[in-house]
Amino acid sequence: VLRIEMTLSEATALLDARLRRYRGSTYEQLIPLLNHPAYAEGISPSGAAFRTEVSVFWEKYPFGNLRVFGIIDGFFDSDTPAPVTQSFIVAPED
């Protein structure tokens, strides 16, 4: 079985694209997503298989900041730390 490797830049771009839909969300829009991770699988432009997960959780429970955390995992080249992660915070007043 031929396994195609993914570079760090490709993994980062895919994860950025996945998180982009959450970045414009308000605090109130993210609250229902608490404890409900969203998963997606796909094939990258280079042909590498990958899986993403996006989770929303409290930074400080309850009603503190929300952290939106994304992770992408797949078969990465030797220079890429696996898995690749990104996150950002949404405050109640945002």
Side-chain angles (χ1 to χ4, degrees):
V1 174
L2 176 65
R3 292 174 41 152
I4 298 171
E5 296 177 343
M6 187 183 312
T7 64
L8 177 59
S9 62
E10 185 175 37
T12 300
L14 288 166
L15 190 54
D16 281 342
R18 180 85 168 119
L19 288 175
R20 197 171 301 128
R21 71 177 80 177
Y22 296 90
R23 288 189 188 278
S25 300
T26 65
Y27 187 87
E28 289 75 23
Q29 291 170 325
L30 292 171
I31 291 287
L33 304 179
L34 285 163
N35 300 316
H36 297 289
Y39 301 94
E41 293 181 350
I43 303 296
S44 71
S46 70
F50 68 89
R51 180 177 179 172
T52 62
E53 177 185 341
V54 177
S55 298
V56 178
F57 57 91
W58 297 111
E59 283 282 295
K60 182 177 178 185
Y61 181 81
F63 308 117
N65 292 340
L66 296 175
R67 179 170 296 274
V68 180
F69 179 82
I71 185 170
I72 184 169
D73 203 2
F75 186 56
F76 299 116
D77 65 22
S78 60
D79 294 331
T80 303
V84 176
T85 63
Q86 295 179 18
S87 67
F88 62 92
I89 294 174
V90 177
E93 62 276 359
D94 286 352

